[in-house]
């Protein structure tokens, strides 16, 4: 059976548009407020949610997500909050996935983690530091629970290696737009388009682009060639600057609406 | 040569596994750079001209072979066991770190890269990296936890004098762990022209294997020196363990000598039971940190726990994967040494031998007192004196309450 995430990509393909995916670390700035933020993203037009498992040593993340994760961990966020938020997000009616570094998954137990994602109604897990060489265990545990395994590919991934990674992905392939860590950028790197083109020659799985997309123009540009657009730091920055009260939530919804317009007007 | 066979037999698969440990847990963006580095290392190891160049640097720049010192007066406090010190403190820049740095700097040139980045805790690896960068005309940026820039201020000044840029890291625990995170982020972003010159036998493959290969010279020399001096192998080889590079360097050539005990001394801080320590094998559990699977200090959610040690160079919640493996198969033993035990041994070496050791190294010396008293007269212990203590004068003076 396809996951809700796969169904979403099928649907948007028929609509000839890209999916808009919003990212937020669980428990940021508090568990209750993270639910309200996700709600505001969805109300604004975000199609799917990626929930970050805040981790102590996030080497793929820039200062914005690092600070948000540190704050969440300081608030005591752990695995229970991650699955609670995942469940809430699914109940809000959108396909939802977890993004987690490998350490927390391994510590929790790969099989148990996959089962918990599945039980919460989640569609899959993005694993930014799990190389395909180390993923045997995860592969068997996650396919057992019929959730999507989503790996990241980068502009530096060789043509020879690309099919090895893309063939392990389901739901979507996470294309890192540029060499670097998460964060807002003034321009989305031109390497993003050529990476997506390269992936297309190896796989029919949808491709979503993340890293550095923060505004409508960028979302529109990326949505013209990719199947999905992932936005994280731009949302988090709003909360860091305006808080998660009424005005902050209004701004979240507004950004989501602009990005959503972008992905709908791109083609 | 017999020694070299034992070294190769421990070599793992191309993925750099040591039993269940090691491997690569890194962003995909780094894979091509790690592959390039692994290829460069393998081709250099097979290239006589690389070895010739490195040997020349050892001889004419860093000062190898390092000597062996028979620590007779110190031995009196170690149950009468004979204590032999492998003097890595006499290397240029003052520690074993230069061995690895010179090797990797040559690889950097071979890969055609122009910039190196490094993490440092005690500052010894940062100083060695800055030194090699000056020697080879490379740009050098060193990441150092803000807390460590304070307790190792002398080394910060040395790095700057050598022309390196020192970036204080203010995230997390502001120590070595966070410096490594920042260095990894820099590397992901600038991997095209930048080599990450990692300073210990941790991190993703090929670092644990490659750094060990560059540090093995300590054990290769020491094994010959001990045989020449005493006519037999030592009963035990001791070294302090932070990430584990000086220990792996001296252990590795002895791995095939089954009768020789290999003993790693970890930073026990205020005692493993207190929770304030950096004794990763003695007090940690298997997990993943900084690109490798090994023992890690972490909580039930897999979050890294901050480590504590009086010694900046041992203040790290991870350890090299090959140590984790040697521990599990019972080939090496690991024991914690508290801050107080280390500082007692520090003072004892100063006063009995006229050698001021690094506080990291003092953990190995405290281990020598312990093991010496267990084995008694007739036993011979080989200790890796990994570094000199000039950088620690401030910390030691504060510890002993000396006015400065
Ligand atoms: C003198 C000295 N010894 C030991 C260490 C610990 O590192 P490793 O365990 O990699 O040898 C350091 C690290 O800074 C050091 O400076």
């Amino acid at each position: 059976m396809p996951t809700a995430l796969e169904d979403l990509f099928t649907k948007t393909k028929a609509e000839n548009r890209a999916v808009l995916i919003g990212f937020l670390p669980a428990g940021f700035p508090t568990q209750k407020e993270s639910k309200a933020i996700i709600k505001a993203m969805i109300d604004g037009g975000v199609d799917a949610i990626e929930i970050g498992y805040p981790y102590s040593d996030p080497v793929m993340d820039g200062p914005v997500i690092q600070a948000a994760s540190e704050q969440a961990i300081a608030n005591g966020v752990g695995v229970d909050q991650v699955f609670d938020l995942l469940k809430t997000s699914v109940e809000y009616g959108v396909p939802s996935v977890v993004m987690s570094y490998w350490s927390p998954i391994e510590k929790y137990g790969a099989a148990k983690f996959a089962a918990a994602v599945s039980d919460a109604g989640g569609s899959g897990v993005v694993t930014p530091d799990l190389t395909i060489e180390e993923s045997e265990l995860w592969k068997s545990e996650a396919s057992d629970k019929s959730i999507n395994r989503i790996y990241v590919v980068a502009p530096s991934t060789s043509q020879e290696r690309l099919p090895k990674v893309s063939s392990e992905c389901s739901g979507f392939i996470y294309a890192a737009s540029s060499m670097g860590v998460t964060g807002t950028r003034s321009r989305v790197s031109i390497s993003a388009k050529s990476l997506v083109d390269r992936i297309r020659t190896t796989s029919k799985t949808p491709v979503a682009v993340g890293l550095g997309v923060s505004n409508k123009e960028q979302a529109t540009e990326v949505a013209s060639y990719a199947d999905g657009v992932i936005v994280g730091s731009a949302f988090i920055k709003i909360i860091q600057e305006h808080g998660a009260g009424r005005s902050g939530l209004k701004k979240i919804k507004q950004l989501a609406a602009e990005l959503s317009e972008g992905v709908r007007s791109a083609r | 040569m017999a020694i070299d066979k034992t070294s190769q037999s421990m070599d793992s698969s191309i993925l750099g596994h040591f039993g269940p440990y090691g491997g690569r847990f890194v962003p995909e963006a780094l894979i091509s750079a790690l592959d390039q580095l692994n290829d460069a290392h393998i081709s250099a190891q097979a290239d006589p001209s690389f070895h010739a160049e490195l040997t020349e640097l050892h001889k004419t720049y860093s000062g190898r072979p390092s000597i062996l010192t028979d620590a007779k007066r110190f031995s009196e406090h170690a149950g009468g066991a004979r204590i032999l010190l492998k003097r890595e403190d006499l290397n240029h820049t003052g520690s074993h770190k230069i061995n690895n740095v010179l090797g990797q700097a040559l690889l950097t040139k071979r890969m055609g890269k122009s910039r190196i980045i490094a993490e440092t805790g005690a500052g010894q690896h940062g100083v060695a990296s800055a030194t090699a960068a000056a020697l080879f005309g490379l740009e050098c940026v060193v990441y150092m936890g803000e807390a460590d820039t304070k307790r190792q201020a002398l080394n910060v000044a040395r790095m700057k004098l050598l022309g390196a840029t020192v970036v204080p890291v203010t995230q997390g625990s502001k120590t070595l762990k966070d410096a490594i995170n920042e260095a990894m982020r820099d590397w992901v972003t600038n991997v095209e022209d930048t080599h990450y010159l990692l300073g210990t036998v941790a991190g993703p493959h090929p670092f644990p294997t490659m750094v060990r290969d560059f540090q093995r010279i300590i054990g290769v020399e020491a094994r010959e020196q001990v045989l020449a001096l005493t006519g037999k192998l030592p009963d035990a080889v001791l070294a302090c363990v932070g990430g584990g590079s000086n220990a792996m360097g001296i252990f590795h050539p002895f791995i095939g000598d089954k009768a020789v005990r290999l003993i790693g001394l970890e930073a026990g801080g205020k005692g493993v039971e207190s929770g304030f320590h950096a004794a990763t094998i003695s007090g940690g559990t298997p997990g993943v940190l900084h690109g490798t699977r090994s023992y890690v200090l972490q909580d039930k959610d897999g979050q890294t726990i901050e480590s504590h040690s009086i010694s900046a160079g041992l203040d790290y919640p991870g350890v090299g994967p090959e140590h984790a493996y040697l521990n599990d198969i019972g080939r090496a033993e690991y024991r914690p040494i508290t801050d107080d035990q280390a500082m007692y041994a520090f003072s004892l070496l100063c006063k009995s031998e006229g050698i001021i050791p690094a506080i990291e190294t003092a953990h190995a010396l405290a281990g020598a007192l312990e093991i010496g008293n267990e084995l008694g007269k007739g036993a011979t212990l080989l200790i890796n004196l990994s570094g000199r203590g000039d950088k620690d004068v401030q910390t030691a003076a504060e510890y002993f309450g000396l006015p400065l």
Side-chain angles (χ1 to χ4, degrees):
Chain A
M1 217 177 67
T3 63
L5 182 67
E6 287 166 320
D7 285 341
L8 173 64
F9 277 101
T10 307
K11 187 186 100 175
T12 53
K13 187 166 189 195
E15 292 170 11
N16 191 29
R17 69 164 177 101
V19 166
L20 176 63
I21 304 170
F23 170 87
L24 192 76
F28 169 76
T30 65
Q31 183 71 359
K32 197 168 150 224
E33 287 167 316
S34 63
K35 292 182 183 178
I37 295 166
I38 283 177
K39 182 79 173 45
M41 286 185 189
I42 296 169
D43 288 348
V46 164
D47 300 299
I49 294 288
E50 182 186 346
I51 289 160
Y53 191 140
Y55 173 55
S56 53
D57 297 277
V59 295
M60 255 307 275
D61 288 305
V64 172
I65 295 180
Q66 277 176 53
S69 301
E70 257 188 53
Q71 187 176 346
I73 292 170
N75 291 342
V77 168
V79 69
D80 293 343
Q81 286 74 21
V82 171
F83 293 129
D84 172 54
L85 193 61
L86 179 65
K87 195 155 170 276
T88 304
S89 177
V90 171
E91 282 165 6
Y92 288 156
V94 298
S96 306
V97 299
V98 172
M99 198 283 316
S100 179
Y101 288 89
W102 184 246
S103 177
I105 299 178
E106 177 161 309
K107 206 68 186 171
Y108 191 72
K112 235 177 104 191
F113 198 94
V117 170
S118 174
D119 289 350
S123 291
V125 184
V126 181
T127 47
D129 66 343
L130 182 65
T131 54
I132 50 166
E133 287 79 5
E134 302 292 342
S135 65
E136 270 316 305
L137 173 74
W138 180 235
K139 191 173 167 177
S140 60
E141 305 299 358
S143 58
D144 218 38
K145 303 290 177 292
S146 68
I147 57 173
N148 296 133
R149 283 173 287 115
I150 300 155
Y151 297 90
V152 181
V153 295
S156 63
T157 305
S158 69
Q159 201 56 33
E160 188 194 351
R161 184 176 168 83
L162 206 50
K164 293 183 193 156
V165 184
S166 61
S167 64
E168 292 296 327
C169 295
S170 64
F172 66 87
I173 297 163
Y174 192 127
S177 69
S178 58
M179 295 300 288
V181 294
T182 57
T184 58
R185 309 232 199 306
S186 55
R187 296 187 48 214
V188 176
S189 162
I190 47 160
S191 57
K193 168 122 183 21
S194 69
L195 176 59
V196 173
D197 289 344
R198 288 205 294 131
I199 297 170
R200 300 263 193 232
T201 66
T202 74
S203 172
K204 297 220 173 324
T205 306
V207 183
V209 170
L211 261 58
V213 183
S214 64
N215 59 35
K216 183 179 170 181
E217 290 65 43
Q218 293 169 334
T220 310
E221 183 199 329
V222 172
S224 70
Y225 57 81
D227 306 302
V229 180
I230 305 167
V231 179
S233 296
F235 286 119
I236 295 167
K237 246 180 159 166
I238 289 177
I239 302 301
Q240 286 168 341
E241 281 163 22
H242 303 278
R246 268 194 34 196
S247 79
L249 292 177
K250 210 173 129 196
K251 287 192 161 64
I252 293 280
K253 188 174 162 186
Q254 196 182 334
L255 175 62
E258 287 169 19
L259 296 166
S260 170
E261 258 175 60
V263 303
R264 281 174 170 79
S265 63
R267 298 180 199 158
Chain B
M1 199 162 68
I3 308 165
D4 277 316
K5 242 184 255 152
T6 58
S7 88
Q8 300 315 323
S9 70
M10 290 298 295
D11 257 346
S12 34
S13 69
I14 46 162
L15 298 175
H17 289 131
F18 305 93
Y21 302 112
R24 280 182 184 169
F25 296 83
V26 292
E28 174 66 25
L30 291 178
I31 294 294
S32 66
L34 291 169
D35 282 346
Q36 181 193 22
L37 180 60
N38 194 43
D39 290 348
H41 175 56
I42 289 170
S43 86
Q45 288 297 321
D47 179 356
S49 75
F50 178 84
H51 291 284
E53 200 174 352
L54 188 55
T55 302
E56 186 65 16
L57 283 168
H58 284 157
K59 261 207 247 166
T60 64
Y61 189 71
S62 61
R64 300 209 73 88
S66 65
I67 59 173
L68 200 64
T69 297
D70 204 341
K72 296 201 174 97
R73 278 176 27 85
F74 186 81
S75 290
E76 290 166 19
H77 302 266
R82 188 173 189 183
I83 306 286
L84 302 175
L85 305 175
K86 178 62 174 165
R87 300 291 303 279
E88 294 298 303
D89 60 320
L90 297 179
N91 297 341
H92 179 45
T93 71
S95 80
H96 69 292
K97 296 287 182 188
I98 192 79
N99 305 330
N100 166 48
V101 166
L102 290 175
Q104 284 196 52
L106 287 182
L107 290 183
T108 306
K109 294 288 259 190
R110 284 170 83 100
M111 292 187 292
K113 294 188 172 185
S114 58
R115 176 175 180 265
I116 58 172
I117 55 173
E119 83 295 341
T120 198
Q124 289 302 100
H125 176 59
V127 168
S129 298
T131 298
L135 180 65
F136 291 106
L138 301 166
E139 185 191 342
C140 178
V141 175
V142 180
Y143 292 93
M144 189 171 190
E146 193 183 40
D148 293 336
T149 60
K150 292 190 178 126
R151 58 179 162 171
Q152 306 282 291
L154 177 70
N155 273 345
V156 175
R158 288 170 80 195
M159 288 183 264
K160 288 182 178 165
L161 288 172
L162 290 161
T165 304
V166 180
V167 180
V169 176
T170 56
Q171 286 95 336
S173 57
K174 303 177 178 52
T175 60
L176 185 54
K177 160 181 105 69
D178 309 281
I180 294 177
N181 289 341
E182 272 308 283
M184 298 261 261
R185 292 183 187 115
D186 180 321
W187 203 28
V188 170
T189 310
N190 301 304
V191 66
E192 193 72 25
D193 71 341
T194 299
H195 172 58
Y196 179 14
L197 211 163
L198 191 79
T200 191
V201 288
H205 178 63
F207 286 109
T209 308
M210 179 183 65
V211 176
R212 176 202 71 201
D213 289 348
F214 288 135
Q215 292 291 3
R216 285 186 81 247
I217 188 150
I218 304 172
V220 171
E221 285 174 7
R223 194 175 179 282
E224 281 175 16
Q225 288 166 322
V226 174
L227 279 173
L229 182 71
T230 70
K232 59 183 181 64
L233 290 171
D235 295 286
V237 179
L238 281 71
C240 66
V241 178
S245 68
N246 88 87
M248 196 50 69
I250 198 163
F251 286 178
H252 201 257
F254 288 96
I255 285 176
D257 303 317
K258 297 287 186 261
V260 179
R261 283 172 68 184
L262 306 175
I263 305 170
L265 290 312
E266 300 192 296
K270 301 195 184 310
V272 172
E273 59 299 332
S274 74
F276 291 92
H277 66 87
T280 312
I281 294 179
S282 313
T285 53
V288 168
L289 176 65
H290 291 148
T292 191
R293 183 184 285 113
S294 184
Y295 280 82
V296 183
L297 300 181
Q298 56 180 196
D299 70 11
K300 62 168 185 26
D301 283 343
Q303 308 283 4
T304 312
I305 296 171
E306 287 178 18
S307 55
H308 294 270
S309 170
I310 190 168
S311 138
L314 304 185
D315 202 349
Y316 179 55
V319 66
E322 195 168 3
H323 284 294
Y325 179 66
L326 292 178
N327 175 73
D328 285 12
I329 63 169
R331 181 61 192 95
E333 317 155 42
Y334 298 84
R335 296 188 183 194
I337 294 293
T338 64
D339 288 350
D340 290 341
Q341 282 177 290
M343 293 312 289
Y344 173 77
F346 174 95
S347 168
L348 196 61
L349 193 76
C350 292
K351 288 173 179 152
S352 64
E353 299 290 341
I355 299 170
I356 301 178
I359 295 178
E360 289 78 17
T361 312
H363 289 70
L365 295 164
L369 297 177
E370 214 172 85
I371 303 288
N373 278 297
E374 285 169 27
L375 298 184
K377 268 196 176 47
T380 302
L381 309 185
L382 170 65
I383 319 297
N384 193 355
L385 201 81
S386 59
R388 67 178 191 228
D390 307 41
K391 68 187 179 60
D392 293 317
V393 165
Q394 175 91 30
T395 305
E398 276 166 27
Y399 180 89
F400 294 114
L402 305 176
L404 271 184

